[in-house]
Amino acid sequence: MKMRWNLDALYSSFESKEFEQDFKKCDEYISELNDWVNESLNNNSQAVEKIEEYIRRTSDLGKVFNRLISYATLNFSTDAKNEKALNVLEKIQYKYISLTKSSVLFKKWLATLNNLNEIISLSKFLEEYRFYLNEALLQSKYLLSEDVEVIIAEMSHTGSEAWSKLQKSVISTLLIDITIDGEEKQLPLSVVRNMANHKDATVRKKAYEAELAAYKKIDNSIAAALNGIKGEVNTLAKLRGYDSPLDMTLRDSRMNFEILDAMLAAIKESLPSFHKYFNKKAELLGYKNGLPFYDLFAPLGSVDMTYTYEEARDFIVKNIKTFNENMSNFMDQAFENNWIDAEPRNGKRGGAFCLTIQPIKESRVLTNFGNNFTDVTTLAHELGHAYHGYCLSKERILNTKYTMPIGETASIFAETIVINAALKSAKAEEVLGILEQDISSAGQTIVDIYSRFLFESELFKRREDHSLSVNELKDIMIEAQKKAYGDGLDHNYLHPYMWANKPHYYYAERNFYNFPYAFGILFAKGLYVEYLKQGNPFIEKFDQLLAATGKNNIGDVAMMIGIDLTSIEFWRNSLKLIAEDIEKFVKLCDEVNSFS
């Protein structure tokens, strides 16, 4: 089975007739939209017709633009040295910048309408876009003048976006010097990081040490990129009138502080339970002072849980079918039609992501498959994102944009289904290994994510008055890990460079790209409890919930199934499920003495 994706549904190449036609069409649409805005939005007459026309033009442009930028992004993500992809990507981004003035003028024009919701009620067409229009109205309050916004957009292209590309390029092309089985090798960072799951403790430690040593070659460059991006974000947040970058992020996430505070308070309460898990794992592996960072993902148990790519496909499709046959069939189609790029290789970015391409109603999934059970769950996770896109495929393109926190719902729900189904069908000696990996994953999305939230909060605070050195960044990361992991980790073996390899810190428009993962796992677990209560009737509600994520605030989406996200009890109940698994794990460990 192929482990590289096929992009022909978009374009056969950058030189294809279809790509060139769409590239030209994009220019035409942009020019026509800009001219129309300048000519039409100088008064409030015929407001219904004008809003309708703006939406039609923006939608038509969005479909072409989405195809172009998806193709360029996907090509560049698998080959950081692809100059053509990078060149096209930059040109497309410049085209997007040229829309800034029109977008700002439209939002500011909406603000001059004193009765927007009454106007919307006059048009059946506009009723479909009520949330989109009211969100645009809200955004208008934080916009500067159209000329200043254009300058900001243009400067960000050579500022934060350039820094982000530098980080991606440097990390993607970094080769790690490492000796394996007596042979000196140079391996991509993604391959070496996958060794954290290796069954051989010596290999895990060597990989950790080689990784940390390699960062010294690039840390000054990466630190400069991080400082440039976060400095820009701090400046813009203040200029636009936000209280902080976090305030800006929450508003962009359609979420409020009450929800975040309730979730973080519950997470902080739950940390001792996770520390208990880390210490038990350390004990099993023979450590006395907590778990060293390089053994966070050490496999436990006598069963060597490895999977070929074909076996991973069968495992996911079979187990997802126990929940939702439509979702299972969709995921099987993703494998069959080569929507997935799973092969690790030099030049390919690390980690995993899913990109939904609304105009063709398909998604593309990137992972770095390493034959471990965690790689199987990662595939299920990203395919969950793809299914979310599928559920939105019948929505208008302007109603398909959902925010980061709610965006993790389907992905982590799919993960949960796969893991729980695997536990039910596993042999006795396999249960402990599966359970441990599930808890380990939860530890990442709760404990490690909490450390990243602490790190980024402190980073923004200090960046207000100075650029941070490599050593200062390392110190902040270490302190954040100590606060989150407590005595669960050996403080002599932490990961001071976690800020360097995580791309999440390097998106100027996606700050605090951490707490959404914690939100996702806890919200998904809460949904899973509802599924267990309701059975099959829940499945339709689940799909409807996903389809509504592009045109509702997060709190309203949750209320569709009766969940109050401002209640700390909801978050406590979700965390209680993990705590129960930890207690089960500890009990099983005490009963089994087959670990070395």
Side-chain angles (χ1 to χ4, degrees), residues 84-98:
K84 179 66 176 179
L86 179 59
N87 180 263
V88 169
L89 190 59
E90 289 182 344
K91 287 181 179 179
I92 295 172
Q93 289 171 337
Y94 269 120
K95 294 179 189 297
Y96 185 77
I97 290 172
S98 67

Side-chain angles (χ1 to χ4, degrees), residues 109-140:
W109 177 76
L110 282 182
T112 67
L113 304 175
N114 296 323
N115 55 343
L116 177 59
N117 281 301
E118 291 180 19
I119 292 172
I120 293 172
S121 299
L122 298 174
S123 167
K124 184 177 180 180
F125 176 77
L126 293 184
E127 282 286 1
E128 293 188 54
Y129 297 93
R130 183 179 292 275
F131 181 80
Y132 168 81
L133 291 169
N134 276 286
E135 188 172 45
L137 179 62
L138 178 63
Q139 291 168 350
S140 70

Side-chain angles (χ1 to χ4, degrees), residues 330 339 357-363 390 392-395:
F330 171 82
W339 292 358
I357 311 162
Q358 202 273 348
I360 63 172
K361 302 188 185 305
E362 295 180 5
S363 293
Y390 170 77
L392 284 161
S393 61
K394 294 181 181 179
E395 297 290 332

Side-chain angles (χ1 to χ4, degrees), residues 366-384:
L366 179 145
T367 69
N368 286 274
F369 191 78
N371 301 108
N372 297 292
F373 184 67
T374 53
D375 297 308
V376 178
T377 57
T378 295
L379 267 173
H381 179 104
E382 298 305 333
L383 287 168

Side-chain angles (χ1 to χ4, degrees), residues 94 153-163 232:
Y94 269 120
E154 291 177 346
M155 294 296 288
S156 68
H157 192 68
T158 54
S160 57
E161 290 180 15
W163 286 120
E232 179 180 305

Side-chain angles (χ1 to χ4, degrees), residues 519-578:
F519 181 103
I521 186 175
L522 297 178
F523 186 54
K525 284 187 176 295
L527 291 179
Y528 188 71
V529 171
E530 291 299 314
Y531 162 58
L532 295 178
K533 291 178 182 177
Q534 300 180 32
N536 289 335
F538 175 83
I539 297 173
E540 185 177 353
K541 294 179 184 178
F542 181 74
D543 288 356
Q544 290 172 348
L545 180 149
L546 295 177
T549 52
K551 51 186 180 183
N552 285 281
N553 290 317
I554 284 177
D556 293 334
V557 171
M559 285 305 297
M560 289 175 64
I561 49 177
I563 293 175
D564 178 9
L565 296 178
T566 63
S567 169
I568 193 173
E569 287 305 315
F570 168 76
W571 304 106
R572 283 172 175 163
N573 289 335
S574 292
L575 285 159
K576 183 180 178 181
L577 295 177
I578 305 174

